[in-house]
Amino acid sequence: MLDTLRSAVRIDELRSKLLFTLAMLFVFRIGAHIPVPGVNTEVFAKLLEAGALFGFFDVISGGAFKNFSIFAMSITPYINASIIMQLLTVVIPALERLAKEGEEGRKKIVQYTRYLTVVLAFIQAIGISFALRNEHVLVNPTIGNYLLVALTLTAGTAFLMWIGEQITEKGIGNGISLLIFAGIVSRVPAGAVRLVEYLQAGTINILNLLLLLVIGVLVIAAIVAVNEGQRRIPVQYAKRVVGRRVYGGQSTHLPLKVNQAGVIPVIFASSILIFPEQLATWFQNTWFGNWYLDFFAWGTPLHTIIYALLVIGFTYFYTAVIMNPVDIADNIKKYGGFIPGIRPGRPTAEYISRVMSRVTLAGAVFLALIAILPNFVLLATRIPQIYFGGTALLIVVGVALDTMKQVESHMLMRSYQGFIR
């Protein structure tokens, strides 16, 4: 990886792309420290430290949520809008036809995603503003101040969406993923300082710290292995004679990734579980609030089991949305291909579906273990407030691998251009 980066810096085009990406990430980090007007950030930080509910979302935003800055909601409304649009593409025939129209159709769907992002961000910002009215976070709790906070948070999310698109277009890597990556990595120094303070205060010992490092290395190795893992289905293309030329006849494979859904199922499950727990915290003095927090609060056995089951379910659901065995079988048949020993058409689709189900099971179980990993790390190491858990490592490693692949593909393309010329 370091050799690839050194080679990329020597190329003018790649160097300019890398510098542009770093400049945009620097703007993101500056915005994470600009507070929202009309909000007492100190009171909000103390309120957040009282529980571990929003710890993961604060990690994704790079501390912007805890600071209640203009980027407090981070890019999560855009992620939710993208997921909703993908689901609607399967349900609504007009969107499905639009998705198959090529580049122009993709641009239209991206445009709809932007509009939906702004709507979701404004609704979420309004909800956050009114949810904090009884916590003395707003300096002046009036309708005008509610709208000011909501519009500021919405504008921050829209600006982050624009930064992500600019990075994707003019920089290196996927801009949205890199923003989440930068937010997580920016918390590493603060986490290291906290561990040193715990070590100096005697809260933990050197063995706890070494155990945490060993677990981290093992988790990173497992994430790399699963992200790169594939089940390759052999595909044979028959020879075709067109005029005086012979086409096809080659053997290839259909790669089915073990972790096809990425980190999306974890975000889905977290978003669903966070709302009832937040409602319970608002009604702590009622029987419902006390009952829910006693049995279903973060870290309890029931919460951990439900969280893992939701991650597994959403992994199957999202994989079925983005990978349609019928379409894959039709495309293979259309280009004269077949799986050896399997008849083209419906038998091929059923075979791909069976293989995909078995492969997805391994990926779903792995994602569930990664999602609930912080609970077991806390028990094993006895280090409090570990928010940099398996999900954050999954995002960081996945984005790093994808970005390095894009850098290598740019370098390879440059070499082929010289050969063609």
Side-chain angles (χ1 to χ4, degrees), residues 103-404:
E103 186 65 22
E104 291 299 323
R106 190 190 67 82
K107 289 181 179 179
K108 279 289 185 181
I109 292 179
V110 170
Q111 187 176 3
Y112 295 154
T113 305
R114 293 170 184 161
Y115 296 150
L116 184 59
T117 299
V118 175
V119 173
L120 292 179
F122 185 73
I123 294 174
Q124 184 176 346
I126 287 290
I128 292 175
S129 301
F130 279 92
L132 298 176
R133 67 185 186 274
N134 296 327
E135 305 294 342
H136 305 290
V137 175
L138 298 181
V139 177
N140 186 17
T142 61
I143 298 297
N145 202 14
Y146 290 147
L147 289 176
L148 176 62
V149 172
L151 290 175
T152 303
L153 292 176
T154 304
T157 297
F159 184 65
L160 274 184
M161 179 176 61
W162 178 82
I163 290 178
E165 293 179 351
Q166 292 299 308
I167 293 175
T168 303
E169 181 180 354
K170 301 178 182 178
I172 287 289
N174 183 283
I176 303 301
S177 300
L178 282 174
L179 289 176
I180 300 176
F181 173 86
I184 295 174
V185 172
S186 66
R187 300 304 303 274
V188 174
V193 171
R194 186 183 300 116
L195 288 177
V196 172
E197 291 176 352
Y198 287 158
L199 194 61
Q200 292 176 347
T203 306
I204 62 174
N205 54 44
I206 192 66
L207 294 178
N208 300 127
L209 190 58
L210 289 176
L211 181 59
L212 179 63
L213 292 176
V214 170
I215 293 175
V217 171
L218 293 177
V219 170
I220 291 174
I223 291 172
V224 173
V226 173
N227 279 351
E228 297 299 308
Q230 294 179 352
R231 168 69 164 87
R232 297 182 176 182
I233 300 177
V235 178
Q236 179 72 36
Y237 286 92
K239 292 182 179 180
R240 293 180 300 162
V241 179
V242 181
R244 295 183 177 179
R245 296 187 177 183
V246 179
Y247 295 93
Q250 74 272 19
S251 298
T252 181
H253 63 269
L254 175 65
L256 297 179
K257 296 184 65 176
V258 176
N259 185 17
Q260 189 72 46
V263 75
I264 298 299
V266 180
I267 297 177
F268 257 35
S270 301
S271 301
I272 288 180
L273 289 178
I274 198 172
F275 287 111
E277 187 163 350
Q278 181 59 49
L279 290 175
T281 57
W282 293 342
F283 300 98
Q284 289 185 1
N285 296 327
T286 63
W287 68 269
F288 170 76
N290 295 331
W291 172 79
Y292 190 92
L293 292 176
D294 288 339
F295 293 97
F296 296 97
W298 188 90
T300 58
L302 285 177
H303 180 277
T304 302
I305 294 172
I306 294 174
Y307 190 20
L309 292 177
L310 284 176
V311 170
I312 293 175
F314 281 129
T315 302
Y316 272 96
F317 177 74
Y318 191 74
T319 302
V321 168
I322 63 177
M323 294 286 291
N324 190 340
V326 177
D327 291 341
I328 297 174
D330 290 341
N331 290 330
I332 293 176
K333 182 179 178 181
K334 183 168 60 176
Y335 291 103
F338 63 93
I339 299 175
I342 306 296
R343 294 180 60 186
R346 183 176 177 181
T348 298
E350 293 176 351
Y351 176 76
I352 294 174
S353 179
R354 288 196 302 270
V355 175
M356 189 183 300
S357 298
R358 292 195 295 265
V359 173
T360 303
L361 177 61
V365 172
F366 175 77
L367 285 179
L369 292 177
I370 288 294
I372 63 177
L373 181 65
N375 298 333
F376 298 101
V377 173
L378 181 62
L379 292 175
T381 63
R382 301 187 182 277
I383 301 177
Q385 296 182 351
I386 299 179
Y387 294 137
F388 195 80
T391 306
L393 284 177
L394 180 65
I395 296 173
V396 169
V397 174
V399 173
L401 289 174
D402 291 339
T403 305
M404 291 310 301

Side-chain angles (χ1 to χ4, degrees), residues 14-26:
L14 280 178
R15 184 168 62 248
S16 62
K17 287 179 176 290
L18 289 172
L19 291 176
F20 180 83
T21 302
L22 292 176
M24 290 293 99
L25 294 180
F26 180 70

